[in-house]
Amino acid sequence: MARKSRRNKSAESENSQNIEIISEHLIDTAAYVRLSVENGGNETDETLVVQQMMVEKYIEEHPDLKLAGTYVDNGFSGTNFDRPAFLKLMEDVRSGKIQCIVVKDLSRFGRDYLETGYYLETILPKLNVRFIAITDDYDSSRKEDRENISVPLKNMVNAMYAKDMSKKILAAKDAQRKKGNVTLSKVAFGYKRSEDRHRQEVDEEIAPFVRMMFQWYMMGVSKKKIADRLNLMGIVTPGQREKTGEFTIPLDQTKWRADTVDKVLLNPTYAGDIVTGKLRQALYKGVKQYKTSQEDWNVQKDMHPAMIARDDYDELMAKKKETREIIKSRRKKYMNDREKYKDCFPGMVRCGDCGRPMYCVRYTHNYVTNEKVGIYYTCSAQNYSTNYCGQKVEENFLKMVVVDQIQLLIKSMCDRKKILQKMKSDTSEKNAFYEAAAKVRILERKIAQTEERNSMLYEDFVGGIVEKEDFDMMKERYIRELYILREDLQAAKQAQRMLEKKTDRYMDMVSDLENYLNDRSFNEKLVQELVEYVEVYKNGNVHVCFKCDDKFQQITELMGGVKRE
């Protein structure tokens, strides 16, 4: 085996070190690929693969670039930047994972010229990210490319192209719909696609059950009972049929409901019609997908074998319209009744015996017109068979009791206000307000006296009257005494301020409530502000719990604290 010279070994070592140094400076590059949905099917998965190969090959051929990931948006319009792979790409860009983006051309990045320009001219440069469009020969690292006016012009052309294509595709699809030439993505329950996927053919396995549903409904069977019958028979729902391909399933897996039956009965497909245009969008107008009104639907009649006669279907639709009008009328009456007989105690009435909430019931004496005449509250426990309560109370009676309790509360507060006013103006020594102020004055006087004695002590020491040892001892005592007195003064002032503050707040609150004194009318706003809940008992007792704390009790406790001190 031939030996290598030391010179050759050192050369190889230098080359490997250079390769490592070069590899450390490679730019982490993302290949971004997008398949448009606006070309009417001109682009396929094959063109997507070719596009990806072109971008990845470009990155491979440039030694300063290193492929860090490929981001593919398959089936997303370039006019919208809310694409999953694009969002992931920008997330990686902001995190520093990607320093360069390579696309086939500018239109692959985006067709909205304003948004595309904002990314190329503002966002990517701020993030220090290089951008390359291969076929447009654009590289943001070159100054001449960044200042070239052709780039924004190309973005504008791409945006105009996208809008023009969207407009043409929409017009072509509308024309096809009007001719009945529709490619069926889904078929109705009981039908299957024809071989050309443009027509629906009867599915003989499911069709008998669909016809049965219509017959039952025309005979007066409710939708809920139809759903129950289908569940007992183990018939699959439309979703289960599409997923499994079976027409029966185990009874514990059936999922028919009244709303599922309703969707089948109202579907015009069973009368032989095809309805299109329920959802529309116009990308060239910047309009996203939206639901259209029934008047704008495109209905093509007799496009496939019907499962229900046209007359029967029209009768069913008339019945449905009549039912909707009845429901609409009842809803309107219900809202009028709620407005006329408003619940004045929403969520506030409770049963004092069982603790459950009592809910509002609007009652009538005429069950022909069903005209409401009043409100009562009933305990919700009557809905539970194990603990029937049956507690009821008239709203007018409840209003009278609550108004009486509020009047008693206001009168009591006004009386207490007079007591506080008298106490504040009284200068007797038994008055808590006077005692609080007197305590502050006494402490201030004691502090002044102690400070004066301290000053005299110093003068006696300077004059030789007091010895050094006695001076130090007495000075320490005065300093300690001053510290305690000042703390006591601060606490006394705080207690005085708190007493006056709570008293002023109480008086302001009572002053507002005095306007309602002797007003026996029911004031809903006042009730909402003062009352937390109302408890009603079977023996006729009513307990009103107020929201406000006993401010007077708090003031009394402060007064007691002042006196104790």
Side-chain angles (χ1 to χ4, degrees):
M1 183 176 179
R3 290 190 305 170
K4 294 183 179 179
S5 65
R6 293 181 180 178
R7 183 179 298 175
N8 291 337
K9 287 183 179 180
S10 62
E12 289 179 2
S13 176
E14 288 180 6
N15 290 335
S16 63
Q17 289 177 0
N18 291 335
I19 292 172
E20 290 178 1
I21 293 172
I22 292 172
S23 62
E24 288 178 359
H25 292 84
L26 292 180
I27 302 174
D28 290 326
T29 305
Y32 179 71
V33 181
R34 182 182 63 81
L35 174 65
S36 176
V37 296
E38 299 174 352
N39 289 342
N42 292 334
E43 291 184 331
T44 64
D45 289 336
E46 184 180 353
T47 65
L48 187 69
V49 173
V50 171
Q51 186 185 153
Q52 181 176 340
M53 290 175 59
M54 174 190 290
V55 176
E56 291 180 352
K57 184 179 179 182
Y58 179 90
I59 297 172
E60 183 182 349
E61 291 175 349
H62 287 72
D64 58 333
L65 305 179
K66 180 180 70 173
L67 182 63
T70 301
Y71 302 79
V72 180
D73 276 319
N74 190 355
F76 289 89
S77 169
T79 59
N80 181 13
F81 280 81
D82 188 15
R83 315 171 216 141
F86 179 81
L87 295 176
K88 181 66 172 66
L89 169 63
M90 294 310 300
E91 182 181 335
D92 291 342
V93 165
R94 290 185 177 91
S95 67
K97 184 179 177 180
I98 300 298
Q99 292 93 41
C100 178
I101 300 173
V102 179
V103 296
K104 173 179 172 286
D105 55 53
L106 291 169
S107 67
R108 297 302 91 195
F109 188 72
R111 289 189 181 276
D112 186 325
Y113 75 96
L114 291 175
E115 192 98 13
T116 303
Y118 182 64
Y119 272 99
L120 296 183
E121 297 174 12
T122 305
I123 295 180
L124 296 182
K126 280 187 177 181
L127 296 172
N128 198 26
V129 175
R130 183 178 174 187
F131 182 83
I132 299 173
I134 302 172
T135 58
D136 289 320
D137 194 24
Y138 176 84
D139 189 339
S140 63
S141 65
R142 298 194 294 257
K143 183 179 179 182
E144 60 271 18
D145 287 358
R146 293 195 301 270
E147 297 176 353
N148 196 334
I149 196 173
S150 65
V151 175
L153 290 176
K154 285 180 180 179
N155 289 331
M156 291 181 66
V157 170
N158 290 332
M160 294 172 64
Y161 173 80
K163 291 183 177 181
D164 185 58
M165 286 299 300
S166 178
K167 186 175 181 180
K168 289 178 179 178
I169 292 169
L170 186 61
K173 287 183 176 180
D174 283 341
Q176 289 179 351
R177 290 192 193 101
K178 291 177 182 179
K179 293 179 182 178
N181 185 15
V182 180
T183 300
L184 299 172
S185 58
K186 278 189 175 183
V187 293
F189 184 63
Y191 285 97
K192 58 184 180 180
R193 295 183 187 85
S194 61
E195 292 184 0
D196 60 1
R197 299 176 66 86
H198 293 308
R199 292 177 60 82
Q200 297 187 102
E201 297 176 349
V202 176
D203 185 347
E204 297 300 339
E205 280 187 333
I206 297 295
F209 303 106
V210 176
R211 295 189 183 101
M212 197 181 300
M213 291 168 64
F214 281 101
Q215 289 174 3
W216 283 336
Y217 188 70
M218 298 300 291
M219 291 168 60
V221 181
S222 69
K223 298 170 186 175
K224 174 68 170 59
K225 289 185 177 179
I226 292 175
D228 292 340
R229 292 180 181 183
L230 293 171
N231 286 329
L232 287 173
M233 296 169 66
I235 306 302
V236 295
T237 62
Q240 290 171 330
R241 174 66 175 177
E242 184 178 359
K243 186 176 180 180
T244 65
E246 303 292 335
F247 72 94
T248 58
I249 55 173
L251 297 183
D252 60 344
Q253 297 180 17
T254 55
K255 296 181 180 179
W256 281 97
R257 300 183 310 184
D259 58 340
T260 315
V261 174
D262 187 59
K263 288 180 181 178
V264 173
L265 297 176
L266 296 179
N267 193 339
T269 300
Y270 298 105
D273 302 340
I274 288 182
V275 179
T276 56
K278 292 183 178 181
L279 296 175
R280 289 192 180 181
Q281 64 180 4
L283 295 176
Y284 69 97
K285 293 181 181 179
V287 179
K288 296 182 179 180
Q289 193 176 74
Y290 63 97
K291 289 184 178 180
T292 60
S293 60
Q294 190 170 350
E295 293 76 16
D296 296 329
W297 292 355
N298 182 32
V299 181
Q300 298 293 325
K301 294 190 175 182
D302 302 323
M303 298 299 294
H304 51 259
M307 291 194 192
I308 181 175
R310 177 74 60 183
D311 294 341
D312 291 342
Y313 182 77
D314 292 340
E315 181 182 345
L316 191 150
M317 289 296 102
K319 184 178 178 181
K320 180 66 177 178
K321 184 177 180 181
E322 182 181 353
T323 303
R324 283 179 177 173
E325 290 298 325
I326 292 173
I327 294 174
K328 185 177 179 181
S329 176
R330 289 178 179 173
R331 178 67 180 173
K332 184 178 179 180
K333 186 178 183 307
Y334 171 75
M335 296 305 295
N336 290 336
D337 289 340
R338 282 180 61 90
E339 187 65 28
K340 185 177 179 181
Y341 296 97
K342 190 176 181 181
D343 182 4
C344 298
F345 303 96
M348 298 167 62
V349 186
R350 302 178 185 177
C351 178
D353 296 300
C354 68
R356 287 190 173 90
M358 300 179 72
Y359 58 87
C360 169
V361 177
R362 295 166 182 85
Y363 64 91
T364 181
H365 295 313
N366 189 336
Y367 291 96
V368 177
T369 62
N370 202 27
E371 190 69 29
K372 306 300 180 185
V373 294
I375 289 178
Y376 67 84
Y377 293 88
T378 181
C379 180
S380 58
Q382 63 182 314
N383 296 326
Y384 301 89
S385 57
T386 57
N387 186 14
Y388 178 76
C389 183
Q391 174 77 299
K392 291 183 180 180
V393 62
E394 278 279 348
E395 184 198 44
N396 291 330
F397 171 74
L398 212 57
K399 283 183 176 180
M400 288 189 295
V401 173
V402 171
V403 168
D404 287 343
Q405 293 295 312
I406 289 176
Q407 286 299 312
L408 289 174
L409 174 68
I410 295 175
K411 189 175 185 307
S412 174
M413 295 177 73
C414 290
D415 292 341
R416 292 176 175 182
K417 177 185 175 183
K418 292 177 182 177
I419 294 173
L420 290 175
Q421 287 175 334
K422 186 177 180 180
M423 291 176 66
K424 289 191 75 173
S425 60
D426 189 7
T427 58
S428 64
E429 295 182 0
K430 293 183 179 180
N431 184 357
F433 295 95
Y434 178 83
E435 289 179 357
K439 184 176 181 180
V440 172
R441 290 195 298 271
I442 290 170
L443 287 171
E444 288 176 343
R445 186 163 58 250
K446 285 183 178 181
I447 290 173
Q449 291 173 353
T450 305
E451 288 176 344
E452 184 178 355
R453 287 200 302 270
N454 192 25
S455 298
M456 292 175 63
L457 176 66
Y458 181 75
E459 291 176 1
D460 292 344
F461 172 69
V462 174
I465 300 173
V466 178
E467 297 294 333
K468 176 71 167 59
E469 184 178 351
D470 294 336
F471 171 76
D472 292 338
M473 180 184 65
M474 294 177 69
K475 180 180 179 182
E476 183 179 353
R477 189 182 68 183
Y478 287 150
I479 291 173
R480 186 167 58 251
E481 186 177 347
L482 278 171
Y483 177 78
I484 295 172
L485 287 172
R486 283 167 180 161
E487 280 196 337
D488 291 343
L489 177 62
Q490 185 177 359
K493 286 183 176 180
Q494 178 67 20
Q496 184 188 23
R497 285 195 299 269
M498 186 63 67
L499 178 61
E500 292 178 351
K501 186 176 182 181
K502 285 188 175 291
T503 302
D504 292 340
R505 284 185 178 179
Y506 181 82
M507 289 186 171
D508 291 340
M509 179 179 67
V510 177
S511 297
D512 293 336
L513 293 175
E514 277 180 331
N515 300 323
Y516 301 100
L517 186 62
N518 299 324
D519 183 1
R520 309 297 301 180
S521 61
F522 182 81
N523 189 316
E524 185 179 352
K525 182 180 179 182
L526 187 63
V527 171
Q528 296 293 331
E529 289 180 357
L530 295 180
V531 179
E532 184 173 356
Y533 62 85
V534 181
E535 288 183 334
V536 182
Y537 296 85
K538 284 184 180 180
N539 59 11
N541 291 338
V542 176
H543 170 66
V544 180
C545 179
F546 293 102
K547 292 180 180 178
C548 53
D549 299 328
D550 194 341
K551 306 293 184 185
F552 188 82
Q553 180 64 29
Q554 296 176 8
I555 295 171
T556 304
E557 291 174 358
L558 285 173
M559 290 179 179
V562 170
K563 289 182 178 180
R564 284 194 300 271
E565 292 176 2

